[in-house]
Amino acid sequence: MPIGRTVELVVSRNDDRWTVMCDGTVRGNYDYKIDAEEAAIRLAKQAHAKGQSSGVVSPDHRSRMRCIWPN
């Protein structure tokens, strides 16, 4: 993940799976949205622990992206 700028992790639906992306790179694929969100939050916390600004966005039930971490 890039150093010195905000790390934004995005959870999105990809066919029948959930994908975590960062800077156009797939960081993981999951069967369930909650698993993808938890993985994205772990990655964001790791970046934050290294001094990087970070956040996670995920679609709500209306498919609008919302910030889920930090909240």
Side-chain angles (χ1 to χ4, degrees):
M1 286 182 238
I3 295 175
R5 64 185 184 91
T6 300
V7 175
E8 183 176 59
L9 292 131
V10 178
V11 174
S12 63
R13 183 123 184 145
N14 187 7
D15 293 323
D16 62 342
R17 308 234 23 223
W18 290 91
T19 300
V20 176
M21 302 273 304
C22 181
D23 291 327
T25 301
V26 174
R27 299 290 180 179
N29 291 294
Y30 303 87
D31 290 328
Y32 300 100
K33 181 180 176 185
I34 189 70
D35 294 333
E37 289 176 338
E38 288 173 352
I41 291 169
R42 276 192 306 275
L43 290 169
K45 286 180 177 180
Q46 289 171 3
H48 185 75
K50 294 177 183 175
Q52 294 178 276
S53 173
S54 59
V56 178
V57 295
S58 181
D60 65 13
H61 65 281
R62 293 183 182 156
S63 297
R64 292 183 296 196
M65 296 307 276
R66 62 184 172 85
C67 180
I68 62 168
W69 192 89
N71 48 2

